[in-house]
Amino acid sequence: MTEGEKKGAALLVGAGDAIGAAVARRFATGGYCVCVARRDAEKSRGVVQEIVASGGAAHAVSTDVRNEEAVQALFAQVEAELGPVEVCLFNAGANVKAPLVETSSRLFFKAWELACYGGFLTGREAARYMVPRGRGTILFTGATASVRGGAGFAAFAAAKFGLRALAQSMARELAPKNIHVVHHRRLSAATGTMPDLAPDSLIQTSSVAEAYWALHNQSRDGWTHELDLRPYIERW
């Protein structure tokens, strides 16, 4: 199929104004009917209008990724109204920083609930639709905290470590069923111009979106499970 043909639905869960919006634009250009799902759908009105005005198909839906019934209803709605979910991105974040002794049990739980439990609900529901069809891509956005805990990030790192483990387990279970599961680790992505920085020293959201597009279109004889994107200037 060419990029102008409709190919089903791309469901972006926890999609905000940065990476989520960039991925929505890229997959709409590629012929997918994009559904941007976040807590407040009104915040995605601008990108939806932009995509529609350029000839693409996009919708915004309000959902709570921490609620099992809400996630199930979201997938059922998209499947019934927009088409089969061919690609699903879980992009919800819970980047909180607090000294360990000041990290309340509520803060720790809320970080895990959003970044890890929400990923489980989303990934499981995506698999329930994709496995019977024998195809699909499930993408998880990680962070540096997915592989390295930092001072002040006990809650966030625990949640992101858990999400990465979930993605690995899903990949090993679902790859034989022709479902491509990817965990993508990134540093902060730029959303505007920062003249004090060297050119290309921050990842652009469009570059992240292009990477997701490439991952979704990989041949299954060479699937990537974990992708680490970083600008050329970063020390690591």
Side-chain angles (χ1 to χ4, degrees):
M1 286 184 285
T2 65
E3 286 211 354
E5 295 180 75
K6 298 306 177 186
K7 304 176 181 178
L11 177 55
L12 315 179
V13 180
D17 299 325
I19 289 178
V23 174
R25 294 185 188 99
R26 183 61 186 90
F27 277 82
T29 299
Y32 287 85
C33 182
V34 174
C35 179
V36 181
R38 61 193 297 183
R39 192 173 303 179
D40 183 0
E42 185 64 23
K43 293 181 178 179
S44 293
R45 174 181 288 190
V47 69
V48 167
Q49 291 177 335
E50 174 192 331
I51 290 171
V52 172
S54 63
H59 304 264
V61 178
S62 295
T63 194
D64 183 351
V65 300
R66 303 165 300 177
N67 183 284
E68 183 174 21
E69 291 75 18
V71 173
Q72 291 172 336
L74 170 65
F75 275 85
Q77 179 183 353
V78 172
E79 288 272 336
E81 299 177 5
L82 306 182
V85 176
E86 301 292 347
V87 56
C88 177
L89 166 64
F90 180 77
N91 192 62
N95 193 347
V96 293
K97 182 179 182 181
L100 180 66
V101 296
E102 297 176 16
T103 300
S104 66
S105 58
R106 176 174 172 78
L107 176 63
F108 187 92
F109 178 77
K110 285 178 70 67
W112 169 84
E113 187 180 33
L114 179 60
C116 186
Y117 179 61
F120 159 71
L121 293 177
T122 300
R124 184 190 64 181
E125 206 61 23
R128 284 176 170 172
Y129 284 92
M130 293 177 179
V131 168
R133 290 194 286 260
R135 66 180 190 274
T137 302
I138 304 172
L139 305 163
F140 294 97
T141 298
T144 299
S146 302
V147 296
R148 187 178 73 230
F153 290 100
F156 183 56
K160 284 297 188 179
F161 262 73
L163 183 69
R164 183 171 180 241
L166 168 72
Q168 287 184 1
S169 297
M170 287 178 57
R172 291 186 167 99
E173 181 176 343
L174 299 179
K177 305 180 190 302
N178 201 36
I179 310 300
H180 188 188
V181 180
V182 181
H183 178 267
H184 161 230
R185 185 163 73 95
R186 66 170 179 85
L187 294 186
S188 297
T191 57
T193 58
M194 298 183 181
D196 294 335
L197 298 176
D200 301 324
S201 59
L202 283 179
I203 300 172
Q204 300 297 313
T205 55
S206 58
S207 297
V208 177
E210 199 62 44
Y212 278 148
W213 176 256
L215 288 165
H216 176 56
N217 287 284
Q218 281 183 326
S219 172
R220 65 180 179 176
D221 68 295
W223 273 351
T224 296
H225 166 62
E226 193 150 48
L227 178 68
D228 187 0
L229 285 184
R230 58 183 67 250
Y232 77 99
I233 202 170
E234 182 199 346
R235 293 185 176 182
W236 59 290

